Amino acid sequence: MLLIVEIVNIFVMNIIAIFITKKITKSQIRLFTVKNFLWLILSILPTIVFYTAGYNFSTFLTFLILILSTKKILDIDILVSAILILYIMILSTIPDLIGSAIIMNFISFKEIHNNFLVLFITNTLVSILTYFIFKISFINKIAIAIVNKLQKQENRRIIIYLLFAFIAICIMYYTTSSIFTPTKDYFVANLVIVSFIFLIFIYMNEIMKYDKLLMQNNTLYECMQNVENYQEQQDLCMHEYKNQLSKVIDATTDEKVINIVKNILKVDSSNENYILGKIKYLPKGEIKSLIYYKLLVSNKKNLNTSIDISPKIEEKDFKLPPNVNNELSQLIGIYFDNAIEAASHSAKKQIALEVYKIKNSLFFVITNSYKGNINLNNIMKKGFSTKGNSRGKGLYFANKIVKNSTYFTNETKIMDDYFIQKLELKLK
């Protein structure tokens, strides 16, 4: 009788897992077919063959065959099936832990597994509650994010992390099943299980945040490319218009017409076009997009902006390793943000950018006017800021990046009421 109850419980849990996976992957496969039923029967076969009370080898084997069955039933990638089944099983531990913590005060582990009615009710409740857990919005979003990330080869490391976390949870489950009394050891074991679940959520949340930031950077880069392409077309058209208008001057002796045409030829570009023109020597890419954006912010804050980019800079100078490129973006972002804020509160409201190359080094120099007094001995300390409480982390983190890198050196100085940040990027 207990074997039948265990088979029914595993059968119900597997069906719930497949339904949840179908919803997450948005699979259009029809579930109720003979083939799918046979795969479902296969997923409970280890329980029939190797059944014993508690968590054992058959539990792990059932899990592996469920992954294969889900892949075959829903026609999805085996890695997607594996990670989602892992995710579902890990979250199913939450109602299981809560239920165990309550029931253990009234009945022992052995008595539960010898009482088919209690066993059936508790396992069925765990399966149903697991299904409703996936009705929670952020749980579902994380699952969808996992599926999307698994489409990229470099993100397959998530599987390794979750697999080891799941193995650790299985080991702790085996430990708790041998204790199953309200003792200190039991609650410590449960605390370890909850900690692993919590760490999994933190890890996945960080991945989602990183993806969001990466998407924003890619969007900014695409926008920058579109703006540049548009600007190039406009420059070509403007150049052609000026060529045609210059011919008018040669074709007439009317002073009035000549003066009108000359005035047209002296029309200034907009601030945005001015900025694009000034940074034209920077190769297209993430760094140029970032600098362009920061200069636009500076312009909107009505700062007096000076830009000097050396024409000697080449595209190959910005072909950096991904981690170095990310660090350079962070450093320029921090230096610019501090410069813009300081300059906007100063009387002169001036900010300047210089980018030039000397031998095998690129130099980025950001200069700004400022208000008040600055102590250079304190400015790199964590938490120090002239802008109030809960500030002052930017330059501290920038200095930390530089210290931990072999690519960067920086110099900070004050000259004639101007604050200067000079960053050197060593090209290797």
Side-chain angles (χ1 to χ4, degrees), residues 117-344:
L117 184 60
V118 173
L119 191 62
F120 174 75
I121 292 171
T122 53
N123 280 278
T124 302
L125 280 174
V126 169
S127 299
I128 293 171
L129 288 173
T130 301
Y131 179 79
F132 281 102
I133 283 175
F134 279 85
K135 292 285 187 179
I136 301 172
S137 179
F138 81 93
I139 299 286
N140 214 38
K141 283 181 180 178
I142 290 176
I144 293 170
I146 291 173
V147 173
N148 291 335
K149 285 194 72 64
L150 287 175
Q151 308 306 318
K152 302 177 183 178
Q153 188 65 35
E154 64 271 19
N155 294 321
R156 299 296 172 98
R157 69 185 187 277
I158 302 171
I159 294 177
I160 299 173
Y161 178 83
L162 290 184
L163 181 60
F164 278 110
F166 181 71
I167 291 171
I169 290 172
C170 287
I171 293 170
M172 294 311 301
Y173 248 92
Y174 181 78
T175 303
T176 56
S177 67
S178 62
I179 303 171
F180 208 76
T181 52
T183 62
K184 180 182 176 182
D185 291 339
Y186 178 82
F187 286 108
V188 168
N190 279 346
L191 183 62
V192 172
I193 294 173
V194 172
S195 297
F196 271 106
I197 295 172
F198 184 64
L199 288 172
I200 289 169
F201 273 103
I202 291 176
Y203 181 68
M204 293 310 303
N205 189 51
E206 289 301 314
I207 288 175
M208 290 174 70
K209 284 182 180 178
Y210 174 77
D211 276 356
K212 186 177 179 181
L213 182 61
L214 189 64
M215 184 176 68
Q216 289 173 343
N217 285 338
N218 289 338
T219 301
L220 179 62
Y221 175 61
E222 289 175 7
C223 289
M224 183 64 194
Q225 283 189 314
N226 291 336
V227 169
E228 283 189 323
N229 292 335
Y230 174 77
Q231 181 59 31
E232 286 175 0
Q233 293 175 359
Q234 294 304 306
D235 286 345
L236 184 63
C237 291
M238 185 63 72
H239 181 72
E240 184 60 26
Y241 291 153
K242 287 183 177 181
N243 286 341
Q244 297 301 323
L245 285 171
S246 64
K247 294 177 183 179
V248 175
I249 297 176
D250 295 330
T252 182
T253 57
D254 190 321
E255 287 296 325
K256 187 175 180 180
V257 173
I258 291 174
N259 288 333
I260 291 173
V261 172
K262 284 183 176 180
N263 285 331
I264 293 174
L265 292 175
K266 291 178 182 178
V267 171
D268 293 330
S269 299
S270 66
N271 287 325
E272 287 80 4
N273 290 344
Y274 167 78
I275 292 171
L276 280 171
K278 284 291 186 178
I279 64 173
K280 65 182 179 181
Y281 294 120
L282 286 175
K284 290 182 180 180
E286 181 182 333
I287 302 302
K288 183 172 184 177
S289 299
L290 177 64
I291 289 174
Y292 173 67
Y293 170 69
K294 294 300 181 184
L295 289 171
L296 283 179
V297 172
S298 173
N299 181 58
K300 288 178 181 178
K301 287 183 176 288
N302 296 318
L303 301 181
N304 300 313
T305 306
S306 174
I307 307 166
D308 187 10
I309 311 293
S310 170
K312 295 181 181 179
I313 295 172
E314 301 175 88
E315 188 172 346
K316 65 179 182 179
D317 297 331
F318 283 84
K319 293 190 180 298
L320 306 170
N323 63 311
V324 178
N325 195 64
N326 289 337
E327 289 173 344
L328 179 60
S329 295
Q330 290 175 327
L331 290 169
I332 290 175
I334 290 169
Y335 292 152
F336 250 117
D337 287 342
N338 279 275
I340 289 170
E341 184 162 0
S344 64

Side-chain angles (χ1 to χ4, degrees), residues 23-49:
K23 183 179 177 183
I24 292 169
T25 57
K26 299 178 181 177
S27 173
Q28 301 298 318
I29 298 295
R30 191 161 59 93
L31 292 180
F32 302 105
T33 64
V34 174
K35 184 197 81 169
N36 291 346
F37 181 75
L38 291 175
W39 276 110
L40 193 57
I41 294 298
L42 181 64
S43 71
I44 62 173
L45 195 60
T47 304
I48 299 171
V49 177

